[in-house]
Amino acid sequence: MVLGVLSLAGWAALAVAAGGYDPGDGLGGRGTMGLALGLALAAPAGAAALWMARGCPALRSGPARLTLAGAAGLWAWTALSVTWAAAPDLAWLQANRTAIALAALALGLGLGTLVARPGRRFAVGLSAAAAAPVGWALFVVVFPEAAGSDGLARLSEPLGYWNALALVCALAVPGALAVASRPGRLGRLGAPLASAWMAVLGTVVVLTYSRGGLLALAVAIIVALVALRPRRPAVVALIAGAVGAVLPAVYGLTSDALTTDFLTPAARADAGVGLGWRLVLGVAIAGGIAALAARLPLPEMHVEPRRVRAWLAAGAAVAAVVLVAAAVLSGDLRDRLAGGDSAVGNESSRLTDLGTNNRPEWWGQALRGFAAAPVLGHGAGGFTLVHLAERPADSPDAFTPREPHQLELRLLSGLGIVGLALLAAALAGTVWGAV
């Protein structure tokens, strides 16, 4: 338990201090220190967890061994790609990131065999640790003069990347719903607190303008609701949190001072206070709804797993059809086929923009890069060079992507079919263990 709590605290501290790891732009800065600290702390913690759990049958099981072997192989192959990569510095940075992922996997597997009720405790602990970066993000937007923020309107601090902040919020959702489902020592305060936290998380995700973050949030909610028992308190917390997030989220999306880029902190000050009191009111509304619902004789929700799977499959099919139809009707797909630009701006309107944001071009470049070096790839982190080799001189794309924004294609272009096979082994072991 001590090792788990310290690891989550370290994760929260790194998120608040720097926002993570060196992106590989050669500029160094706090991201480089975050990478070094993450590896220096995670590697011994993962090794210690595996050593303490070495006698546990679960750790010696086929799924655990396959997952660890796949992840360790992927790290070794990534590090080895330094020898043939056109940009060995980028490959080395990617090897360090993969090492941190391997250490996190080892830590999770080890602690999962040693701690009672590991799933619930990890979810709740991760949700509590997320309060640090999420709280700082809100402090920046509510008190811009104290924080000194004058950059893009999209909420991204303290991580420095809006999609990462949205992902932190999504990771915090299962723990919040778990507390609502079974409050434990919190008693009657559990459901109102969980609902209030859900309102905060929903508001922050919306203000990041991250479309992928909203999808991640939806996935986290679905997974939590399928797994949790009893389910009714979690559903109530979800609804209460959504209602509580409406007022601050709508204000944050419609206030000119909060949606205009590169304003001075003083120009955002009044709007920040306006967002702050609306968020406090939204949190109170969410908590009040949860407290009131706890007193009502609402029936428990009993749904057969087979019916849940059918609903999820039907929902995914409907969502796919709607997205494809909307993309065609919006003209984005026609623009792509005609060779036009599909970049999506950073304004709040991007939440309803179905543009592909250059992804088809990047995916095609990654596939062609894989075709040119199908076994070894171009070295980890080498997609940047693949992109630059294809990009025309008069390209409207004003920035250079570091990856194609698709994990499997990134591995194929950088590490070839071997890298993808190692990732598949790790994922297969994870699915095997879950089943």
Side-chain angles (χ1 to χ4, degrees):
M1 284 296 294
V2 171
L3 181 59
V5 170
L6 290 177
S7 299
L8 287 171
W11 174 78
L14 283 175
V16 170
Y21 312 122
D22 182 9
D25 53 15
L27 300 179
R30 292 178 299 170
T32 305
M33 183 58 68
L35 181 63
L37 286 175
L39 189 55
L41 297 175
L50 288 182
W51 177 256
M52 288 188 293
R54 64 189 183 280
C56 298
L59 197 61
R60 299 195 303 255
S61 68
R65 289 181 173 181
L66 179 59
T67 302
L68 275 174
L74 182 60
W75 165 73
W77 188 249
T78 302
L80 188 62
S81 72
V82 172
T83 60
W84 68 77
D89 54 337
L90 298 180
W92 180 246
L93 286 171
Q94 188 61 41
N96 285 319
R97 295 191 194 95
T98 308
I100 293 177
L102 174 61
L105 173 64
L107 180 64
L109 283 172
L111 293 182
T113 65
L114 297 170
V115 177
R117 293 177 294 144
R120 173 183 170 81
R121 287 184 169 178
F122 176 67
V124 174
L126 191 60
S127 190
V134 172
W136 183 260
L138 288 172
F139 178 79
V140 169
V141 70
V142 174
F143 304 105
E145 290 184 293
S149 173
D150 58 356
L152 294 177
R154 297 182 69 180
L155 211 57
S156 61
E157 297 297 333
L159 289 100
Y161 185 40
W162 34 78
N163 289 341
L165 178 59
L167 182 59
V168 167
C169 294
L171 291 172
V173 164
L177 296 181
V179 169
S181 177
R182 295 183 182 275
R185 296 180 181 179
L186 292 176
R188 294 182 178 179
L189 293 177
L193 288 176
S195 302
W197 183 223
M198 286 295 296
V200 171
L201 295 174
T203 300
V204 173
V205 170
V206 170
L207 296 186
T208 62
Y209 308 166
S210 174
R211 300 176 297 175
L214 290 175
L215 291 176
L217 183 67
V219 171
I221 290 171
I222 292 172
V223 170
L225 292 182
V226 169
L228 288 175
R229 299 291 188 278
R231 188 177 290 123
R232 183 182 71 87
V235 173
V236 171
L238 175 61
I239 296 174
V243 173
V246 168
L247 184 62
V250 169
Y251 179 78
L253 293 175
T254 56
S255 171
D256 290 338
L258 295 179
T259 57
T260 304
D261 293 338
F262 303 114
L263 291 181
T264 63
R268 299 188 194 271
D270 291 342
V273 173
L275 176 66
W277 73 257
R278 285 173 174 82
L279 180 61
V280 171
L281 180 58
V283 164
I285 291 174
I289 292 175
L292 178 62
R295 299 176 179 273
L296 298 178
L298 299 176
E300 177 54 47
M301 301 176 62
H302 295 287
V303 183
E304 296 180 1
R306 183 180 303 176
R307 184 172 297 180
V308 171
R309 289 193 293 269
W311 287 350
L312 292 178
V318 171
V321 171
V322 170
L323 287 175
V324 171
V328 173
L329 293 176
S330 68
D332 181 73
L333 182 59
R334 295 192 300 271
D335 290 344
R336 295 270 40 87
L337 294 176
D341 179 43
S342 70
V344 178
N346 284 314
E347 298 80 13
S348 58
S349 59
R350 75 188 319 276
L351 286 172
T352 57
D353 193 326
L354 295 174
T356 53
N357 208 14
N358 295 308
R359 279 164 175 76
E361 295 99 323
W362 298 339
W363 295 347
Q365 292 165 4
L367 283 173
R368 289 186 289 275
F370 163 66
V375 178
L376 299 180
H378 297 272
F383 173 75
T384 297
L385 301 181
V386 173
H387 167 78
L388 289 174
E390 285 201 18
R391 192 173 75 176
D394 59 346
S395 172
D397 192 357
F399 59 91
T400 301
R402 300 186 182 101
E403 58 176 87
H405 289 64
Q406 212 282 337
L407 176 62
E408 292 77 15
L409 292 178
R410 175 168 67 83
L411 286 176
L412 282 174
S413 66
L415 298 174
I417 194 65
V418 176
L420 184 63
L422 291 169
L423 174 66
L427 293 179
T430 303
V431 173
W432 183 12
V435 172

